[in-house]
Amino acid sequence: MLSCKPKDVSLILSFELFGGIGNSDLMVKVSVIVPVYNVGPYLREALESLVNQSLQDIEIIAVNDGSTDNSEDILKEYQKRDRRVRYVNQENQGQSGARNTGMALCSGEYLYFMDSDDVVDTRALEICYATARQHDADVCLFDADVFYERGARPLPWDYDRAGILHEGRRYGGEELMNLLMDTEKHSAVVWLQFIKADYLKRLRLDFYRGIIHEDELFTVRLLLPTDSIFYIARRFVRHRVRPSSTVGKGYSQRNLNCYMTVFDELFKFQDSPFTRKFARYTLEKVFYTGHLIPLREKPAVFWRALRSGYLKYIGLRSALAFWLKRKQV
């Protein structure tokens, strides 16, 4: 069985305190990694959608990332109910750190990163597993519906790529991302990806710590090296947008700085026509939306873009909007 084995002894010992690393009589086909941080009102619904999956041979690894609400109590409850649910506590490291911890503890053939306030179709893992095995896919992609809590900002995009991507077709990473950019359908979120664990292990890929928008970096580095990506035209995820979630919050200096950190790292990974196109595609939008940040924060952000050589990717229209467009009240 392909697997990504635990690497950190301290994590193993901590994990064993809360139910052990695995079950010797259970072949794990899919490891579901769930970062948990203060999601008490939503966590039961998320876990219910996992424990009721039609594919039984799964493990659910919840990483309690320093929650201060009742999230740990809920995890204890589900761990007692279902031996496939296990959790580990850690001091708050952010979503990247929580996912990395989960990856270090997984034992499945395939991985799925779930957001702890979302809901997954109960046949999702079964269909993804069958599709991935049938085609020997490194990555399978699928879609999502969005629902909003009161006060959340509507997203200016959707997660529906039906009609753009086609089932049964093998895509290469650069081909696929070019197609999605050209049709304005690119989405980097990892909760729409089903990933072969052995492929991820060979890449030595993890999540960059300390930033938001970390999926933008992870997804490019995941998809570019492979020619074995398959699309499933199903909306398997019901994605919740909350006022307090990353996409639900207003823009700030941190958003722009984190996007620039993504490209700092991405250009270290590969400086090519593709990555330059991706920088233009992303940074034009990011800086156009950057008109929303307070005026006092703009000089430092713009200076970093200038210093890093990113102005050529931002473009004149977005640069003018960044400085001159007024925030609508």
Side-chain angles (χ1 to χ4, degrees), residues 301-318:
V301 170
F302 202 77
W303 172 244
R304 178 175 176 183
L306 176 64
R307 202 163 27 91
S308 301
Y310 294 150
L311 290 188
K312 60 180 176 288
Y313 303 121
I314 294 166
L316 180 61
R317 174 177 173 270
S318 293

Side-chain angles (χ1 to χ4, degrees), residues 1-98:
M1 181 177 65
L2 301 175
S3 66
C4 47
K5 296 297 185 183
K7 304 170 186 176
D8 188 322
V9 174
S10 64
L11 287 177
I12 296 172
L13 293 176
S14 177
F15 206 53
E16 287 178 333
L17 292 175
F18 297 99
I21 296 172
N23 299 292
S24 59
D25 60 338
L26 177 67
M27 176 181 177
V28 179
K29 294 178 177 176
V30 181
S31 297
V32 184
I33 297 169
V34 188
V36 174
Y37 179 70
N38 289 351
V39 285
Y42 320 105
L43 187 54
R44 282 191 176 87
E45 188 177 10
L47 292 173
E48 282 295 318
S49 74
L50 291 177
V51 298
N52 289 306
Q53 286 290 309
S54 57
L55 182 68
Q56 293 292 301
D57 305 331
I58 68 174
E59 63 179 3
I60 301 158
I61 301 174
V63 181
N64 184 32
D65 192 43
S67 295
T68 58
D69 66 354
N70 66 332
S71 293
E72 185 181 359
D73 294 334
I74 295 169
L75 293 175
K76 284 182 180 178
E77 170 192 332
Y78 274 83
Q79 183 174 266
K80 289 178 181 177
R81 282 176 44 186
D82 193 317
R83 63 176 181 165
R84 299 170 302 168
V85 179
R86 297 182 301 283
Y87 79 95
V88 59
N89 284 322
Q90 67 179 28
E91 293 183 3
N92 182 259
Q93 299 179 28
Q95 189 160 248
S96 290

Side-chain angles (χ1 to χ4, degrees), residues 246-283:
T246 301
V247 295
K249 293 179 181 177
Y251 244 53
S252 71
Q253 182 178 6
R254 187 184 181 203
N255 292 84
L256 278 78
N257 279 328
C258 288
Y259 271 114
M260 286 189 281
T261 297
V262 164
F263 284 98
D264 291 343
E265 295 302 313
L266 186 56
F267 281 120
K268 292 177 187 176
F269 168 68
Q270 182 185 114
D271 187 349
S272 67
F274 170 80
T275 51
R276 292 190 287 272
K277 176 180 177 178
F278 183 58
R280 189 172 298 108
Y281 176 87
T282 304
L283 292 177

Side-chain angles (χ1 to χ4, degrees), residues 142-157:
F142 44 89
D143 293 331
D145 286 317
V146 177
F147 64 106
Y148 297 91
E149 288 198 331
R150 181 178 296 178
R153 295 171 178 266
L155 301 179
W157 61 81

Side-chain angles (χ1 to χ4, degrees), residues 112-172:
Y112 176 58
F113 297 99
M114 181 181 177
D115 275 8
S116 54
D117 53 358
D118 286 351
V119 180
V120 179
D121 185 287
T122 53
R123 291 201 63 206
L125 299 182
E126 177 188 3
I127 294 171
C128 285
Y129 182 79
T131 302
R133 289 296 300 267
Q134 177 186 352
H135 298 291
D136 192 25
D138 289 330
V139 182
C140 289
L141 305 178
F142 44 89
D143 293 331
D145 286 317
V146 177
F147 64 106
Y148 297 91
E149 288 198 331
R150 181 178 296 178
R153 295 171 178 266
L155 301 179
W157 61 81
D158 60 38
Y159 297 104
D160 182 8
R161 294 164 289 191
I164 305 299
L165 302 179
H166 301 285
E167 288 191 310
R169 177 177 172 182
R170 182 183 297 269
Y171 291 93

Side-chain angles (χ1 to χ4, degrees), residues 153 212-213 249-260 285-303 318 321-328:
R153 295 171 178 266
I212 53 177
H213 310 301
K249 293 179 181 177
Y251 244 53
S252 71
Q253 182 178 6
R254 187 184 181 203
N255 292 84
L256 278 78
N257 279 328
C258 288
Y259 271 114
M260 286 189 281
K285 295 177 173 62
V286 167
F287 271 80
Y288 187 88
T289 310
H291 75 272
L292 296 171
I293 74 172
L295 180 60
R296 67 181 179 277
E297 296 179 354
K298 291 184 178 183
V301 170
F302 202 77
W303 172 244
S318 293
F322 177 81
W323 285 108
L324 302 177
K325 184 174 171 65
R326 292 177 178 270
K327 180 178 179 180
Q328 295 181 349

